[in-house]
């Protein structure tokens, strides 16, 4: 069984810069993916980007339902996100949280559909079509790999409120 790693928290530099593309599809990448799944499950998440365990590589894993409650599981290496055009875009006004800001959440509108192209852990091309929560997950995890957290998409006041709540939770747990 693979050991889980601790989740990297907001403010850690690796979360706030773009990750490096994966260049080698080898045993090290396979082990990283196993560790990422173990870490995601240990934290009770539905998606996890490599930088959330301190690894500067463009990889994310997910185990998340789509809008039809069909559980979808996989890995995307070097993802490229595609969203519907403005005319075809419908927003999901849902609540979003993040393992790197534990216990906090905020309303954040995101497109209700997304497509993510990339590769699996062996280097084979993959395309993931996401709806519902899976669409949100694909966008959220790709944002992580680009150096953004969901709070970076919030209005300034909402972002400050989430960070203040995070600070209060952290102080209360120490």
């Amino acid at each position: 069984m693979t050991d889980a790693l601790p989740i990297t928290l907001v403010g850690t530099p690796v979360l706030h810069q773009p990750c490096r593309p994966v260049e080698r599809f080898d045993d090290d990448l396979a082990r990283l993916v196993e560790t990422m799944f173990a870490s995601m499950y240990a934290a009770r998440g539905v998606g996890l980007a490599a930088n959330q365990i301190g690894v500067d590589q463009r990889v994310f894993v997910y185990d998340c339902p789509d809008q039809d409650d069909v559980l979808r599981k996989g890995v995307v290496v070097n993802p490229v996100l595609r969203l519907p055009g403005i005319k075809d875009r419908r927003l999901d006004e849902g609540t979003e949280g993040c393992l790197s800001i534990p216990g906090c959440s905020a309303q954040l509108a995101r497109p209700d559909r997304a497509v993510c192209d990339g590769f699996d852990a062996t280097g084979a091309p993959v395309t993931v079509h996401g709806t519902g929560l899976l669409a949100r997950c694909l966008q959220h995890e790709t944002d992580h790999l680009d150096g953004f957290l969901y709070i970076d998409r919030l209005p300034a006041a909402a972002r400050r409120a989430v960070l203040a709540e995070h600070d209060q939770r952290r102080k209360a747990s120490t």
Side-chain angles (χ1 to χ4, degrees), residues 14-15 17-25 29 32-33 36 48-52 54-61 75-82 116-121 126 138-148:
V14 72
L15 287 177
Q17 59 194 26
C19 292
R20 293 179 301 110
V22 171
E23 296 177 359
R24 294 179 43 203
F25 294 83
L29 179 61
L32 172 62
V33 168
M36 289 174 66
L48 185 80
N51 57 351
Q52 288 185 275
V55 177
D56 177 22
Q57 290 198 318
R58 292 187 65 79
V59 182
F60 72 79
V61 298
V75 57
V76 183
V77 179
N78 297 335
V80 175
L81 186 67
R82 291 186 282 140
C116 197
D117 299 305
F119 302 90
D120 69 13
V126 295
L138 296 174
Q139 294 168 73
H140 180 106
E141 301 310 332
T142 301
D143 274 355
H144 269 302
L145 300 177
D146 290 337
F148 299 103

CSV table of all heavy atoms in Angstrom, one decimal, residues 14-15 17-25 29 32-33 36 48-52 54-61 75-82 116-121 126 138-148:
chain,number,residue,atom,x,y,z
A,14,VAL,N,5.0,26.4,-3.9
A,14,VAL,CA,4.7,25.5,-5.0
A,14,VAL,C,3.2,25.6,-5.5
A,14,VAL,O,2.9,25.3,-6.7
A,14,VAL,CB,5.1,24.1,-4.7
A,14,VAL,CG1,4.1,23.4,-3.7
A,14,VAL,CG2,5.2,23.2,-5.9
A,15,LEU,N,2.3,26.1,-4.7
A,15,LEU,CA,0.9,26.2,-5.1
A,15,LEU,C,0.6,27.4,-5.9
A,15,LEU,O,-0.4,27.5,-6.5
A,15,LEU,CB,0.0,26.2,-3.8
A,15,LEU,CG,-0.2,24.9,-3.0
A,15,LEU,CD1,-1.0,25.2,-1.8
A,15,LEU,CD2,-0.8,23.9,-3.9
A,17,GLN,N,2.6,28.9,-8.3
A,17,GLN,CA,3.4,29.1,-9.6
A,17,GLN,C,3.1,28.0,-10.5
A,17,GLN,O,2.7,26.9,-10.1
A,17,GLN,CB,4.9,29.1,-9.2
A,17,GLN,CG,5.4,27.8,-8.6
A,17,GLN,CD,6.8,28.0,-8.0
A,17,GLN,OE1,7.2,29.0,-7.6
A,17,GLN,NE2,7.4,26.8,-7.8
A,18,PRO,N,3.2,28.2,-11.8
A,18,PRO,CA,2.9,27.1,-12.8
A,18,PRO,C,3.8,25.9,-12.6
A,18,PRO,O,5.0,26.1,-12.3
A,18,PRO,CB,3.1,27.8,-14.1
A,18,PRO,CG,3.0,29.3,-13.9
A,18,PRO,CD,3.5,29.5,-12.5
A,19,CYS,N,3.3,24.7,-12.7
A,19,CYS,CA,4.1,23.5,-12.6
A,19,CYS,C,4.8,23.2,-13.9
A,19,CYS,O,4.3,23.6,-15.0
A,19,CYS,CB,3.2,22.4,-12.2
A,19,CYS,SG,2.5,22.5,-10.5
A,20,ARG,N,5.9,22.4,-13.8
A,20,ARG,CA,6.6,22.0,-14.9
A,20,ARG,C,5.9,20.9,-15.7
A,20,ARG,O,5.4,20.0,-15.0
A,20,ARG,CB,8.0,21.5,-14.5
A,20,ARG,CG,8.9,22.5,-13.9
A,20,ARG,CD,10.3,21.9,-13.4
A,20,ARG,NE,10.1,20.9,-12.4
A,20,ARG,CZ,10.3,19.6,-12.6
A,20,ARG,NH1,10.7,19.1,-13.8
A,20,ARG,NH2,10.1,18.7,-11.6
A,21,PRO,N,6.0,20.9,-17.0
A,21,PRO,CA,5.4,19.7,-17.7
A,21,PRO,C,6.2,18.4,-17.4
A,21,PRO,O,7.4,18.4,-17.2
A,21,PRO,CB,5.6,20.1,-19.2
A,21,PRO,CG,5.9,21.6,-19.2
A,21,PRO,CD,6.5,21.9,-17.9
A,22,VAL,N,5.4,17.3,-17.4
A,22,VAL,CA,6.0,16.0,-17.3
A,22,VAL,C,6.7,15.7,-18.6
A,22,VAL,O,6.1,15.8,-19.7
A,22,VAL,CB,4.9,15.0,-16.9
A,22,VAL,CG1,5.5,13.6,-17.0
A,22,VAL,CG2,4.4,15.3,-15.6
A,23,GLU,N,7.9,15.2,-18.5
A,23,GLU,CA,8.7,14.8,-19.7
A,23,GLU,C,8.9,13.3,-19.8
A,23,GLU,O,9.2,12.8,-20.9
A,23,GLU,CB,10.0,15.6,-19.8
A,23,GLU,CG,9.8,17.1,-19.9
A,23,GLU,CD,11.1,17.9,-19.9
A,23,GLU,OE1,12.2,17.3,-19.7
A,23,GLU,OE2,11.0,19.1,-20.0
A,24,ARG,N,8.9,12.6,-18.7
A,24,ARG,CA,9.2,11.2,-18.7
A,24,ARG,C,8.0,10.4,-18.1
A,24,ARG,O,7.6,10.7,-17.0
A,24,ARG,CB,10.4,10.9,-17.9
A,24,ARG,CG,11.6,11.5,-18.6
A,24,ARG,CD,12.9,11.4,-17.8
A,24,ARG,NE,13.1,10.0,-17.3
A,24,ARG,CZ,13.9,9.7,-16.3
A,24,ARG,NH1,14.6,10.7,-15.7
A,24,ARG,NH2,14.0,8.5,-15.8
A,25,PHE,N,7.5,9.5,-18.8
A,25,PHE,CA,6.4,8.6,-18.4
A,25,PHE,C,7.1,7.3,-18.0
A,25,PHE,O,7.3,6.4,-18.8
A,25,PHE,CB,5.4,8.4,-19.5
A,25,PHE,CG,4.7,9.6,-19.9
A,25,PHE,CD1,5.3,10.6,-20.7
A,25,PHE,CD2,3.5,9.9,-19.3
A,25,PHE,CE1,4.6,11.8,-21.0
A,25,PHE,CE2,2.8,11.1,-19.6
A,25,PHE,CZ,3.4,12.0,-20.5
A,29,LEU,N,6.9,8.3,-12.3
A,29,LEU,CA,5.6,9.0,-12.5
A,29,LEU,C,4.5,8.0,-12.0
A,29,LEU,O,3.5,8.5,-11.4
A,29,LEU,CB,5.4,9.3,-14.0
A,29,LEU,CG,4.0,9.9,-14.3
A,29,LEU,CD1,3.8,11.2,-13.6
A,29,LEU,CD2,3.9,10.1,-15.9
A,32,LEU,N,4.3,8.4,-8.3
A,32,LEU,CA,3.7,9.6,-8.0
A,32,LEU,C,2.2,9.6,-8.1
A,32,LEU,O,1.5,10.0,-7.2
A,32,LEU,CB,4.2,10.8,-8.9
A,32,LEU,CG,3.5,12.1,-8.8
A,32,LEU,CD1,3.7,12.7,-7.4
A,32,LEU,CD2,4.1,13.1,-9.8
A,33,VAL,N,1.7,9.0,-9.1
A,33,VAL,CA,0.2,8.9,-9.3
A,33,VAL,C,-0.4,8.0,-8.2
A,33,VAL,O,-1.4,8.4,-7.6
A,33,VAL,CB,-0.1,8.3,-10.7
A,33,VAL,CG1,-1.6,7.9,-10.8
A,33,VAL,CG2,0.3,9.3,-11.8
A,36,MET,N,-0.4,10.1,-5.2
A,36,MET,CA,-1.5,11.2,-5.3
A,36,MET,C,-2.8,10.6,-4.9
A,36,MET,O,-3.6,11.2,-4.2
A,36,MET,CB,-1.4,11.8,-6.6
A,36,MET,CG,-0.2,12.7,-6.9
A,36,MET,SD,-0.1,13.3,-8.6
A,36,MET,CE,-1.5,14.4,-8.6
A,48,LEU,N,-6.9,15.9,-6.9
A,48,LEU,CA,-5.7,16.3,-6.3
A,48,LEU,C,-4.6,16.6,-7.4
A,48,LEU,O,-4.4,15.8,-8.3
A,48,LEU,CB,-5.1,15.3,-5.4
A,48,LEU,CG,-3.9,15.7,-4.6
A,48,LEU,CD1,-4.3,16.6,-3.4
A,48,LEU,CD2,-3.1,14.5,-4.1
A,49,ALA,N,-4.0,17.8,-7.3
A,49,ALA,CA,-3.0,18.2,-8.2
A,49,ALA,C,-1.6,17.9,-7.6
A,49,ALA,O,-1.5,17.9,-6.3
A,49,ALA,CB,-3.0,19.6,-8.6
A,50,ALA,N,-0.6,17.6,-8.4
A,50,ALA,CA,0.7,17.2,-7.8
A,50,ALA,C,1.3,18.2,-6.9
A,50,ALA,O,1.9,17.9,-5.8
A,50,ALA,CB,1.7,16.9,-8.9
A,51,ASN,N,1.1,19.5,-7.2
A,51,ASN,CA,1.6,20.5,-6.3
A,51,ASN,C,0.9,20.6,-4.9
A,51,ASN,O,1.5,21.1,-4.0
A,51,ASN,CB,1.7,21.9,-7.0
A,51,ASN,CG,0.3,22.4,-7.5
A,51,ASN,OD1,-0.7,21.7,-7.5
A,51,ASN,ND2,0.3,23.6,-7.9
A,52,GLN,N,-0.2,19.9,-4.8
A,52,GLN,CA,-0.9,19.8,-3.5
A,52,GLN,C,-0.2,18.9,-2.5
A,52,GLN,O,-0.5,18.8,-1.4
A,52,GLN,CB,-2.3,19.5,-3.7
A,52,GLN,CG,-3.2,20.6,-4.3
A,52,GLN,CD,-4.6,20.3,-4.3
A,52,GLN,OE1,-5.1,19.6,-5.2
A,52,GLN,NE2,-5.3,20.7,-3.3
A,54,GLY,N,3.3,18.9,-2.9
A,54,GLY,CA,4.6,19.5,-3.0
A,54,GLY,C,5.4,19.2,-4.2
A,54,GLY,O,6.6,19.5,-4.3
A,55,VAL,N,4.8,18.6,-5.2
A,55,VAL,CA,5.5,18.1,-6.4
A,55,VAL,C,5.2,19.1,-7.6
A,55,VAL,O,4.1,19.3,-8.0
A,55,VAL,CB,5.1,16.7,-6.8
A,55,VAL,CG1,5.8,16.3,-8.1
A,55,VAL,CG2,5.5,15.7,-5.6
A,56,ASP,N,6.3,19.7,-8.1
A,56,ASP,CA,6.2,20.6,-9.2
A,56,ASP,C,6.1,19.9,-10.6
A,56,ASP,O,7.0,20.0,-11.4
A,56,ASP,CB,7.4,21.6,-9.1
A,56,ASP,CG,7.4,22.6,-10.2
A,56,ASP,OD1,6.4,22.9,-10.8
A,56,ASP,OD2,8.5,23.1,-10.5
A,57,GLN,N,4.9,19.2,-10.8
A,57,GLN,CA,4.7,18.6,-12.1
A,57,GLN,C,3.3,18.7,-12.5
A,57,GLN,O,2.4,18.7,-11.6
A,57,GLN,CB,5.1,17.1,-12.0
A,57,GLN,CG,6.6,16.9,-11.9
A,57,GLN,CD,7.0,15.5,-12.3
A,57,GLN,OE1,6.4,14.5,-11.9
A,57,GLN,NE2,8.1,15.4,-13.0
A,58,ARG,N,3.0,18.8,-13.8
A,58,ARG,CA,1.7,18.9,-14.3
A,58,ARG,C,0.9,17.6,-14.4
A,58,ARG,O,0.9,17.0,-15.4
A,58,ARG,CB,1.7,19.6,-15.7
A,58,ARG,CG,2.2,21.1,-15.6
A,58,ARG,CD,2.0,21.8,-17.0
A,58,ARG,NE,0.6,21.9,-17.4
A,58,ARG,CZ,-0.2,22.8,-16.9
A,58,ARG,NH1,0.2,23.7,-16.0
A,58,ARG,NH2,-1.5,22.9,-17.3
A,59,VAL,N,0.4,17.2,-13.2
A,59,VAL,CA,-0.3,15.9,-13.1
A,59,VAL,C,-1.4,16.1,-12.1
A,59,VAL,O,-1.2,16.8,-11.1
A,59,VAL,CB,0.6,14.8,-12.5
A,59,VAL,CG1,-0.2,13.5,-12.4
A,59,VAL,CG2,1.8,14.6,-13.3
A,60,PHE,N,-2.6,15.6,-12.4
A,60,PHE,CA,-3.7,15.6,-11.4
A,60,PHE,C,-4.4,14.2,-11.5
A,60,PHE,O,-4.4,13.6,-12.6
A,60,PHE,CB,-4.6,16.8,-11.5
A,60,PHE,CG,-5.6,16.8,-12.6
A,60,PHE,CD1,-6.8,16.1,-12.6
A,60,PHE,CD2,-5.4,17.7,-13.7
A,60,PHE,CE1,-7.7,16.2,-13.7
A,60,PHE,CE2,-6.3,17.8,-14.7
A,60,PHE,CZ,-7.4,17.0,-14.7
A,61,VAL,N,-5.0,13.9,-10.4
A,61,VAL,CA,-5.8,12.7,-10.3
A,61,VAL,C,-7.2,13.1,-9.9
A,61,VAL,O,-7.4,14.2,-9.3
A,61,VAL,CB,-5.3,11.6,-9.3
A,61,VAL,CG1,-3.9,11.1,-9.8
A,61,VAL,CG2,-5.2,12.1,-7.9
A,75,VAL,N,-6.4,9.9,-14.2
A,75,VAL,CA,-5.2,10.7,-14.1
A,75,VAL,C,-5.1,11.5,-15.4
A,75,VAL,O,-5.3,10.9,-16.5
A,75,VAL,CB,-3.9,9.9,-13.8
A,75,VAL,CG1,-3.6,8.9,-14.8
A,75,VAL,CG2,-2.7,10.8,-13.6
A,76,VAL,N,-4.7,12.7,-15.3
A,76,VAL,CA,-4.3,13.5,-16.5
A,76,VAL,C,-3.0,14.2,-16.3
A,76,VAL,O,-2.8,14.9,-15.3
A,76,VAL,CB,-5.4,14.6,-16.8
A,76,VAL,CG1,-5.1,15.3,-18.1
A,76,VAL,CG2,-6.8,14.0,-16.9
A,77,VAL,N,-2.1,13.9,-17.2
A,77,VAL,CA,-0.7,14.4,-17.2
A,77,VAL,C,-0.6,15.5,-18.3
A,77,VAL,O,-1.1,15.3,-19.4
A,77,VAL,CB,0.3,13.3,-17.5
A,77,VAL,CG1,1.7,13.8,-17.5
A,77,VAL,CG2,0.2,12.2,-16.4
A,78,ASN,N,0.0,16.6,-18.0
A,78,ASN,CA,0.1,17.7,-18.9
A,78,ASN,C,-1.3,18.1,-19.5
A,78,ASN,O,-1.4,18.2,-20.7
A,78,ASN,CB,1.1,17.4,-20.0
A,78,ASN,CG,2.5,17.2,-19.5
A,78,ASN,OD1,2.9,17.7,-18.5
A,78,ASN,ND2,3.3,16.4,-20.2
A,79,PRO,N,-2.2,18.4,-18.6
A,79,PRO,CA,-3.6,18.7,-19.1
A,79,PRO,C,-3.7,20.0,-19.9
A,79,PRO,O,-3.0,21.0,-19.6
A,79,PRO,CB,-4.4,18.8,-17.8
A,79,PRO,CG,-3.4,19.2,-16.8
A,79,PRO,CD,-2.1,18.6,-17.2
A,80,VAL,N,-4.6,20.0,-20.9
A,80,VAL,CA,-5.0,21.2,-21.6
A,80,VAL,C,-6.5,21.3,-21.5
A,80,VAL,O,-7.2,20.3,-21.9
A,80,VAL,CB,-4.6,21.2,-23.1
A,80,VAL,CG1,-5.1,22.4,-23.8
A,80,VAL,CG2,-3.1,21.1,-23.2
A,81,LEU,N,-7.0,22.3,-20.9
A,81,LEU,CA,-8.4,22.4,-20.6
A,81,LEU,C,-9.1,23.2,-21.7
A,81,LEU,O,-8.6,24.2,-22.2
A,81,LEU,CB,-8.6,23.2,-19.3
A,81,LEU,CG,-10.0,23.4,-18.8
A,81,LEU,CD1,-10.6,22.0,-18.3
A,81,LEU,CD2,-10.1,24.4,-17.6
A,82,ARG,N,-10.3,22.6,-22.1
A,82,ARG,CA,-11.1,23.3,-23.1
A,82,ARG,C,-12.5,23.6,-22.5
A,82,ARG,O,-13.1,22.6,-21.9
A,82,ARG,CB,-11.3,22.4,-24.4
A,82,ARG,CG,-10.0,22.3,-25.2
A,82,ARG,CD,-10.3,21.5,-26.4
A,82,ARG,NE,-10.4,20.1,-26.2
A,82,ARG,CZ,-11.2,19.3,-26.8
A,82,ARG,NH1,-12.1,19.7,-27.7
A,82,ARG,NH2,-11.2,18.0,-26.5
A,116,CYS,N,-10.9,18.0,-20.9
A,116,CYS,CA,-9.5,18.1,-20.6
A,116,CYS,C,-8.7,17.0,-21.4
A,116,CYS,O,-9.0,15.8,-21.4
A,116,CYS,CB,-9.3,17.8,-19.1
A,116,CYS,SG,-7.7,18.3,-18.5
A,117,ASP,N,-7.8,17.5,-22.2
A,117,ASP,CA,-6.9,16.6,-23.0
A,117,ASP,C,-5.6,16.5,-22.3
A,117,ASP,O,-5.1,17.4,-21.7
A,117,ASP,CB,-6.7,17.2,-24.4
A,117,ASP,CG,-8.0,17.4,-25.2
A,117,ASP,OD1,-8.7,16.4,-25.3
A,117,ASP,OD2,-8.3,18.5,-25.6
A,118,GLY,N,-5.0,15.4,-22.4
A,118,GLY,CA,-3.6,15.1,-21.9
A,118,GLY,C,-3.2,13.7,-22.1
A,118,GLY,O,-3.5,13.1,-23.2
A,119,PHE,N,-2.5,13.1,-21.1
A,119,PHE,CA,-2.0,11.8,-21.2
A,119,PHE,C,-2.2,11.1,-19.9
A,119,PHE,O,-2.4,11.7,-18.9
A,119,PHE,CB,-0.5,11.9,-21.5
A,119,PHE,CG,-0.1,12.6,-22.7
A,119,PHE,CD1,0.1,14.0,-22.7
A,119,PHE,CD2,-0.1,12.0,-24.0
A,119,PHE,CE1,0.4,14.7,-23.8
A,119,PHE,CE2,0.1,12.7,-25.1
A,119,PHE,CZ,0.4,14.1,-25.1
A,120,ASP,N,-2.3,9.7,-20.0
A,120,ASP,CA,-2.4,8.9,-18.8
A,120,ASP,C,-0.9,8.7,-18.3
A,120,ASP,O,0.0,9.2,-18.8
A,120,ASP,CB,-3.1,7.6,-19.0
A,120,ASP,CG,-2.4,6.6,-19.9
A,120,ASP,OD1,-1.2,6.8,-20.2
A,120,ASP,OD2,-3.1,5.6,-20.3
A,121,ALA,N,-0.8,7.9,-17.2
A,121,ALA,CA,0.5,7.7,-16.6
A,121,ALA,C,1.5,7.0,-17.5
A,121,ALA,O,2.7,7.0,-17.2
A,121,ALA,CB,0.4,7.0,-15.3
A,126,VAL,N,-5.3,10.9,-23.5
A,126,VAL,CA,-6.6,10.8,-22.9
A,126,VAL,C,-7.4,12.1,-23.1
A,126,VAL,O,-6.8,13.2,-23.2
A,126,VAL,CB,-6.6,10.5,-21.4
A,126,VAL,CG1,-5.9,9.2,-21.1
A,126,VAL,CG2,-5.8,11.6,-20.6
A,138,LEU,N,-12.2,19.2,-13.0
A,138,LEU,CA,-11.2,19.4,-14.1
A,138,LEU,C,-10.7,20.8,-14.2
A,138,LEU,O,-9.5,21.0,-14.3
A,138,LEU,CB,-11.8,19.0,-15.5
A,138,LEU,CG,-12.3,17.5,-15.6
A,138,LEU,CD1,-13.0,17.4,-17.0
A,138,LEU,CD2,-11.1,16.6,-15.5
A,139,GLN,N,-11.6,21.8,-14.0
A,139,GLN,CA,-11.1,23.2,-14.0
A,139,GLN,C,-10.3,23.5,-12.8
A,139,GLN,O,-9.3,24.2,-12.9
A,139,GLN,CB,-12.4,24.1,-14.1
A,139,GLN,CG,-13.2,23.9,-15.4
A,139,GLN,CD,-14.5,24.6,-15.3
A,139,GLN,OE1,-14.6,25.8,-15.4
A,139,GLN,NE2,-15.6,23.8,-15.3
A,140,HIS,N,-10.8,23.1,-11.6
A,140,HIS,CA,-10.1,23.3,-10.3
A,140,HIS,C,-8.7,22.8,-10.4
A,140,HIS,O,-7.7,23.5,-10.0
A,140,HIS,CB,-10.9,22.7,-9.2
A,140,HIS,CG,-10.4,22.9,-7.9
A,140,HIS,ND1,-10.9,23.8,-7.0
A,140,HIS,CD2,-9.3,22.3,-7.2
A,140,HIS,CE1,-10.3,23.7,-5.8
A,140,HIS,NE2,-9.3,22.8,-5.9
A,141,GLU,N,-8.5,21.5,-10.8
A,141,GLU,CA,-7.2,20.9,-10.8
A,141,GLU,C,-6.3,21.5,-11.8
A,141,GLU,O,-5.1,21.6,-11.6
A,141,GLU,CB,-7.3,19.3,-10.9
A,141,GLU,CG,-8.2,18.7,-9.9
A,141,GLU,CD,-7.8,19.0,-8.4
A,141,GLU,OE1,-6.6,19.3,-8.1
A,141,GLU,OE2,-8.7,18.9,-7.6
A,142,THR,N,-6.8,21.8,-13.0
A,142,THR,CA,-5.9,22.4,-14.0
A,142,THR,C,-5.5,23.8,-13.5
A,142,THR,O,-4.3,24.2,-13.7
A,142,THR,CB,-6.7,22.5,-15.3
A,142,THR,OG1,-7.1,21.2,-15.8
A,142,THR,CG2,-5.8,23.2,-16.4
A,143,ASP,N,-6.4,24.5,-12.8
A,143,ASP,CA,-6.0,25.8,-12.2
A,143,ASP,C,-4.8,25.6,-11.3
A,143,ASP,O,-3.8,26.4,-11.3
A,143,ASP,CB,-7.1,26.4,-11.4
A,143,ASP,CG,-8.1,27.3,-12.2
A,143,ASP,OD1,-7.8,27.5,-13.4
A,143,ASP,OD2,-9.1,27.7,-11.7
A,144,HIS,N,-4.9,24.6,-10.4
A,144,HIS,CA,-3.8,24.3,-9.5
A,144,HIS,C,-2.4,24.2,-10.2
A,144,HIS,O,-1.4,24.8,-9.8
A,144,HIS,CB,-4.0,23.0,-8.7
A,144,HIS,CG,-4.7,23.1,-7.4
A,144,HIS,ND1,-4.3,23.9,-6.4
A,144,HIS,CD2,-5.8,22.6,-7.0
A,144,HIS,CE1,-5.1,23.9,-5.4
A,144,HIS,NE2,-6.1,23.0,-5.7
A,145,LEU,N,-2.4,23.5,-11.3
A,145,LEU,CA,-1.2,23.2,-12.1
A,145,LEU,C,-0.7,24.5,-12.8
A,145,LEU,O,0.5,24.6,-13.1
A,145,LEU,CB,-1.4,22.1,-13.1
A,145,LEU,CG,-1.8,20.8,-12.4
A,145,LEU,CD1,-2.0,19.7,-13.5
A,145,LEU,CD2,-0.7,20.3,-11.4
A,146,ASP,N,-1.6,25.5,-12.9
A,146,ASP,CA,-1.2,26.8,-13.5
A,146,ASP,C,-0.9,27.8,-12.4
A,146,ASP,O,-0.6,28.9,-12.7
A,146,ASP,CB,-2.4,27.3,-14.3
A,146,ASP,CG,-2.6,26.5,-15.6
A,146,ASP,OD1,-1.7,25.9,-16.1
A,146,ASP,OD2,-3.8,26.6,-16.2
A,147,GLY,N,-0.9,27.3,-11.2
A,147,GLY,CA,-0.5,28.2,-10.0
A,147,GLY,C,-1.6,29.0,-9.4
A,147,GLY,O,-1.3,30.0,-8.7
A,148,PHE,N,-2.8,28.6,-9.6
A,148,PHE,CA,-4.0,29.3,-9.1
A,148,PHE,C,-4.8,28.4,-8.2
A,148,PHE,O,-4.9,27.2,-8.4
A,148,PHE,CB,-4.9,29.8,-10.2
A,148,PHE,CG,-4.2,30.8,-11.2
A,148,PHE,CD1,-3.8,30.3,-12.4
A,148,PHE,CD2,-4.0,32.1,-10.8
A,148,PHE,CE1,-3.2,31.2,-13.3
A,148,PHE,CE2,-3.4,33.0,-11.6
A,148,PHE,CZ,-3.0,32.5,-12.9
